[in-house]
Amino acid sequence: MPRATVIGLGKSGIAAARLLKREGWEVELSDGNTSETLLQQQQQLAAEQITVKLGQSLELNDDNLPQLIVVSPGVPWDIPILIKARQLGIETIGEMELAWRNLRWRSQPQASLPWVGITGTNGKTTTTALIAAIFQAAELNAPACGNIGYAACEVALSWREQGAGGVRETFDNSCTDAINRVSSLDWVIAELSSYQIESSSSLAPRIGVWTTFTPDHLSRHKTLENYYNIKAKLLHQSELQVFNGDDAYLRQQGLSAWPNAYWTSVRGKDFLISEKGFYIEDDWVVEKLTATSTPEPIVKVSTLRMVGEHNQQNLLMAVATARLAGINRDAIALAISEFPGVAHRLEHICTWEGIDFINDSKATNYDAAEVGLASVKSPAILIAGGEAKAGDDTGWLAQIQSKAAAVLLIGSAAPAFAQRLQEIGYYSYHIVETMERAIPKSAELAKEYEAPVVLLSPACASFDQYPNFEVRGDRFRQLCLAWAAGGKLEHNLMLSSSL
């Protein structure tokens, strides 16, 4: 029996381990951490004959080496043990690559199910969710996976189970639900981070979508050029390519780098950098599929309930993808009219005494936070901070000067952010340290400045105070709803709990 090692006991790692076990591998799963939750998962997986090693790093001894190593997305691709594995000739791939290899027809092993692969620094989650909603409105079985929805191997596992004669095993609720949903797949809609692309050698979507490109994850990828090349790899391996033509960096690359791509622009036909693409004109998304074809209106932009020019860009890319997949206008219009938006991305939580509380926790870098602040009414009370990332904060700071009545700073970045605000002559900030203190203070300041919006848009990762941006956003939601329900009484409770 061939041996495989999976690194990382997260959702992706567990799904990869179960898929490998299903395909006849002897599987060991390792994670350097340990906790009560991980210990419970260890026991559960042991019952499935999957060995889990906690609190220790993978070791490669000459005896009994694995034939395959599968890496979860959060594990850096260039850590010493993975470099050594490749030097030893051990095939090393990511969880997404494993799913790609297993989402193939048994009768035609060279033929993969069609994928849409969406990547980009910002905007990819909303675009992915909107694409999946359109495909599903067209009655296509097209689950979203990767950085959104299911782990890709979870989708592959459930599809394999159904393909093996309808055998259904109960693993956990998410996987069981996936099994129920993907018995007959039409498309796979995958949001792909640079981490996942980096570790996927053969992944080749039918349609590749590139939403935006700005500096991010440079602590891992080292240079902007390397980060760009990783993203570009996915698009080069895609049969059809869709680009956000309003993104400054992608537009600069232009036709010289991507001569066959479908470009988009919210600014109209004259701003398309190609003779084919999708653009907005007179409140319509307009399609021009070839240099000689007549432009055709597809759907009204005002059908979309989400605000902001960036969401119009996301809409264009989603419609372009749907049309390239052959989906009709009616299904597109239906999906867009019903699309609620994405949690943690400019998500309206509640309104208290005329003040909207908006959760933009997914804005984990300066560019995303700049877009978030630009999208809301002004003046706004901004909550920012967390674990700072490298990047250019110029545009974000300018947006604060233009639109923020006050800024509340939380997390480890608070002192550095305070200094940057002072450097640009902005002094209406308060270091509150925690979300528990930020909510009542934001309500107080919103009243003082007659601000219509309190916006959580951190411009930071969450790892200094929360496991991920979702947990951070969920805490914001919980505190806002409690405030709206309890007012000043809740204020006192929050203050006491944060002391």
Side-chain angles (χ1 to χ4, degrees):
M1 181 182 294
R3 294 184 64 249
T5 294
V6 178
I7 303 177
L9 189 60
K11 181 171 71 171
S12 297
I14 291 172
R18 285 170 167 160
L19 177 59
L20 287 165
K21 188 66 179 178
R22 162 74 179 68
E23 295 300 300
W25 291 76
E26 180 186 341
V27 184
E28 178 180 288
L29 204 162
S30 68
D31 196 298
N33 298 312
T34 184
S35 68
E36 185 62 33
T37 299
L38 294 180
L39 289 169
Q40 292 174 359
Q41 291 174 325
Q42 181 185 46
Q43 294 176 354
Q44 184 178 5
L45 291 165
E48 300 168 28
Q49 297 182 315
I50 296 172
T51 301
V52 176
K53 293 185 176 180
L54 296 176
Q56 54 186 293
S57 300
L58 173 65
E59 295 182 359
L60 296 175
N61 301 314
D62 292 338
D63 297 332
N64 205 21
L65 290 172
Q67 285 77 52
L68 176 68
I69 295 175
V70 179
V71 183
S72 297
V75 178
W77 191 235
D78 59 354
I79 58 175
I81 193 66
L82 295 183
I83 294 173
K84 180 180 178 181
R86 292 191 283 271
Q87 291 172 342
L88 290 171
I90 301 171
E91 185 174 22
T92 306
I93 63 174
E95 179 261 346
M96 190 65 67
E97 173 73 11
L98 179 65
W100 166 258
R101 295 182 183 186
N102 280 273
L103 284 164
R104 296 180 180 274
W105 302 106
R106 289 194 185 278
S107 57
Q108 298 176 305
Q110 299 307 311
S112 173
L113 284 162
W115 284 46
V116 177
I118 303 98
T119 195
T121 309
N122 298 309
K124 57 184 179 291
T125 297
T126 300
T127 303
T128 301
L130 188 50
I131 289 171
I134 294 172
F135 277 56
Q136 290 158 20
E139 299 185 351
L140 294 169
N141 201 332
C145 67
N147 266 12
I148 183 175
Y150 303 115
C153 278
E154 203 170 39
V155 175
L157 174 63
S158 58
W159 189 62
R160 284 297 199 193
E161 289 293 339
Q162 292 294 330
V167 177
R168 184 174 298 167
E169 298 180 37
T170 300
F171 297 133
D172 56 37
N173 291 335
S174 61
C175 194
T176 303
D177 184 43
I179 290 170
N180 291 335
R181 290 189 60 199
V182 301
S183 58
S184 177
L185 281 175
D186 297 306
W187 285 78
V188 176
I189 314 298
E191 179 188 333
L192 294 157
S193 70
S194 56
Y195 301 173
Q196 291 163 315
I197 299 168
E198 186 177 37
S199 58
S200 299
S201 57
S202 66
L203 175 58
R206 177 76 56 83
I207 303 172
V209 181
W210 197 336
T211 61
T212 56
F213 184 77
T214 53
D216 200 8
H217 305 303
L218 297 186
S219 60
R220 173 154 166 172
H221 298 313
K222 311 305 180 189
T223 68
L224 189 66
E225 181 183 17
N226 190 39
Y227 179 45
Y228 176 87
N229 288 336
I230 290 169
K231 297 278 191 188
K233 172 182 158 185
L234 179 77
L235 277 293
H236 281 306
Q237 294 183 181
S238 299
E239 184 179 334
L240 300 170
Q241 302 153 343
V242 176
F243 281 82
N244 176 7
D246 296 319
D247 180 85
Y249 197 99
L250 297 179
R251 189 177 183 87
Q252 183 181 5
Q253 304 304 307
L255 294 177
S256 59
W258 307 98
N260 299 314
Y262 290 86
W263 291 85
T264 65
S265 179
V266 300
R267 298 169 186 168
K269 181 180 178 180
D270 292 343
F271 286 85
L272 279 186
I273 63 174
S274 172
E275 293 185 330
K276 63 182 183 181
F278 293 76
Y279 57 92
I280 292 176
E281 185 174 83
D282 298 330
D283 193 42
W284 281 89
V285 172
V286 179
E287 164 189 285
K288 195 173 188 299
L289 288 178
T290 69
T292 58
S293 63
T294 302
E296 294 187 37
I298 303 300
V299 64
K300 274 188 168 291
V301 177
S302 55
T303 306
L304 185 68
R305 290 186 277 173
M306 294 185 295
V307 299
E309 183 179 278
H310 67 292
N311 279 320
Q312 293 182 3
Q313 294 169 351
N314 297 336
L315 172 66
L316 278 173
M317 290 180 284
V319 171
T321 301
R323 293 297 289 165
L324 293 176
I327 294 175
N328 65 48
R329 295 172 179 80
D330 291 342
I332 292 171
L334 174 63
I336 292 169
S337 67
E338 295 181 347
F339 188 69
V342 175
H344 311 295
R345 192 67 179 113
L346 291 171
E347 175 191 13
H348 181 270
I349 300 300
C350 63
T351 301
W352 172 78
E353 297 191 10
I355 302 162
D356 292 327
F357 287 75
I358 296 177
N359 170 22
D360 198 34
S361 181
K362 198 176 189 302
T364 59
N365 56 49
Y366 297 120
D367 297 282
E370 179 185 347
V371 168
L373 190 51
S375 299
V376 301
K377 296 175 184 177
S378 61
I381 306 301
L382 174 66
I383 302 171
E387 184 178 294
K389 290 183 176 182
D392 183 358
D393 62 2
T394 307
W396 177 64
L397 292 171
Q399 196 65 235
I400 288 175
Q401 287 180 304
S402 172
K403 296 197 68 171
V407 180
L408 302 179
L409 299 174
I410 63 173
S412 62
F417 278 7
Q419 182 176 341
R420 288 292 290 136
L421 290 170
Q422 288 181 29
E423 289 170 1
I424 63 168
Y426 185 98
Y427 294 95
S428 185
Y429 68 84
H430 307 263
I431 296 178
V432 294
E433 298 181 345
T434 67
M435 197 78 74
E436 286 74 15
R437 290 178 176 147
I439 301 308
K441 185 65 174 178
S442 69
E444 173 189 322
L445 291 171
K447 285 290 189 182
E448 178 182 342
Y449 289 102
E450 297 183 354
V453 171
V454 170
L455 173 68
L456 169 68
S457 194
C460 285
S462 60
F463 305 124
D464 58 330
Q465 294 179 317
Y466 301 94
N468 51 54
F469 73 82
E470 292 98 338
V471 174
R472 176 172 63 191
D474 288 341
R475 183 58 175 156
F476 175 79
R477 181 190 298 109
Q478 179 187 30
L479 292 169
C480 289
L481 293 174
W483 173 264
K488 291 187 177 180
L489 173 62
E490 190 64 37
H491 182 180
N492 294 333
L493 292 174
M494 288 181 189
L495 286 176
S496 64
S497 68
S498 61
L499 296 176

